[in-house]
Amino acid sequence: GGSGGESTSLELEDDKIINNLTGKANCVYRKLEDNSILKKTLEKFVGEKTPVHLVINLEPNLRDSKGNLVNGLTNYGSSFYITITLNAEQSNNRPSLDVARTILHEAIHAEIYRKIKTTSGLHLNSLGQWVLGDGAEANFPTLFDYYERHNDPQHEYMADYYRTAMVTGLKEYARSTGQIYPDQLYKDLAWNGLRDTYAWANMYADYNFTLKEQQRIVDAVNNFLKDKTNECE
């Protein structure tokens, strides 16, 4: 550890966070280290009370279990390690603000898994569904409720409880790199990775207005990501 001075890197505390990132991805992560949302999300990993470690990796051509290309993945694992993996191509070929978004998004997944791991674990039932073990309900009743009600509990939980935080984190990141965007862009970007949720499908009571707004968000994000490289240095 070492507690001389105000700022301690997230990695100092017993290597609870093992950062294997390099290049642009590492550049964005380093710039995010002071970000209040990332700090708050990852602080439990560096506290002394948890045996859970977080590993952050970079991988080219990253795909999910269905074979789809993805920006990032967080794996629960059977040991006390939770692993975030970032897509190397996205890290190099997208504006750093979007890479920051992926890191924040995956960090929230990791924090949700940490809560589960430190209470009762997550188990595969006979139907091949992930279920929370005994005791989780008492510790995290809201999260437990999402596991009971949704096919994709983590994204639903994030859409309802973390989107505003994500917007704050993105705005903070942009400001720290001297970039200023309209507030709407941060809100639009925060939906990325959460477009499979009930919250997205039911944004407004008016179905047609929801469809229009979804299209506007998709276009705004695509427009932002077009012809950009990661400017982080």
Side-chain angles (χ1 to χ4, degrees):
S3 53
E6 285 301 297
S7 67
T8 49
S9 159
L10 284 170
E11 267 142 78
L12 291 180
E13 301 283 346
D14 279 346
D15 287 323
K16 289 276 164 63
I17 294 180
I18 299 148
N19 172 15
N20 295 324
L21 297 177
T22 55
K24 300 282 191 186
N26 190 42
C27 176
V28 178
Y29 180 75
R30 291 283 177 216
K31 282 196 164 43
L32 265 174
E33 276 189 330
D34 287 333
N35 190 291
S36 63
I37 304 307
L38 187 69
K39 257 206 162 98
K40 194 170 182 338
T41 306
L42 296 185
E43 68 188 353
K44 299 288 194 310
F45 283 100
V46 292
E48 290 307 306
K49 290 188 179 65
T50 175
V52 181
H53 289 58
L54 180 66
V55 183
I56 310 175
N57 292 331
L58 191 63
E59 203 176 288
N61 196 27
L62 183 67
R63 292 175 188 271
D64 64 13
S65 55
K66 297 189 181 90
N68 302 315
L69 273 172
V70 289
N71 296 326
L73 283 176
T74 300
N75 290 319
Y76 181 74
S78 54
S79 67
F80 277 104
Y81 286 88
I82 290 167
T83 307
I84 289 176
T85 309
L86 302 177
N87 179 324
E89 287 78 16
Q90 185 220 9
S91 302
N92 291 322
N93 305 328
R94 298 232 180 139
S96 72
L97 183 64
D98 191 59
V99 181
R101 180 201 60 76
T102 297
I103 293 172
L104 291 173
H105 180 101
E106 297 307 325
I108 294 165
H109 274 303
E111 163 61 3
I112 294 171
Y113 279 138
R114 186 199 61 78
K115 284 177 176 171
I116 292 166
K117 245 185 210 304
T118 50
T119 51
S120 57
L122 200 57
H123 312 283
L124 271 176
N125 68 9
S126 55
L127 301 171
Q129 300 160 318
W130 286 107
V131 290
L132 291 170
D134 298 336
E137 191 165 7
N139 287 290
F140 302 108
T142 310
L143 180 59
F144 185 81
D145 184 47
Y146 274 71
Y147 267 86
E148 292 278 277
R149 289 188 294 130
H150 294 291
N151 295 331
D152 186 0
Q154 294 210 6
H155 280 160
E156 298 290 352
Y157 188 67
M158 284 162 75
D160 289 347
Y161 291 101
Y162 280 98
R163 242 173 347 107
T164 345
M166 183 80 92
V167 169
T168 307
L170 289 174
K171 194 187 286 194
E172 207 176 279
Y173 177 82
R175 203 179 293 137
S176 76
T177 60
Q179 299 162 309
I180 296 166
Y181 298 104
D183 276 10
Q184 190 61 54
L185 181 71
Y186 304 121
K187 291 177 186 164
D188 294 347
L189 278 172
W191 276 114
N192 243 13
L194 297 174
R195 294 184 197 162
D196 50 0
T197 57
Y198 181 85
W200 168 262
N202 298 274
M203 215 179 280
Y204 297 97
D206 181 331
Y207 179 67
N208 287 325
F209 189 74
T210 295
L211 286 182
K212 273 203 187 97
E213 186 59 3
Q214 287 174 342
Q215 194 55 56
R216 185 200 61 70
I217 292 170
V218 170
D219 291 344
V221 170
N222 287 344
N223 209 25
F224 173 68
L225 298 179
K226 218 168 49 206
D227 313 322
K228 292 266 193 166
T229 53
N230 186 335
E231 77 295 341
C232 192
E233 283 178 4

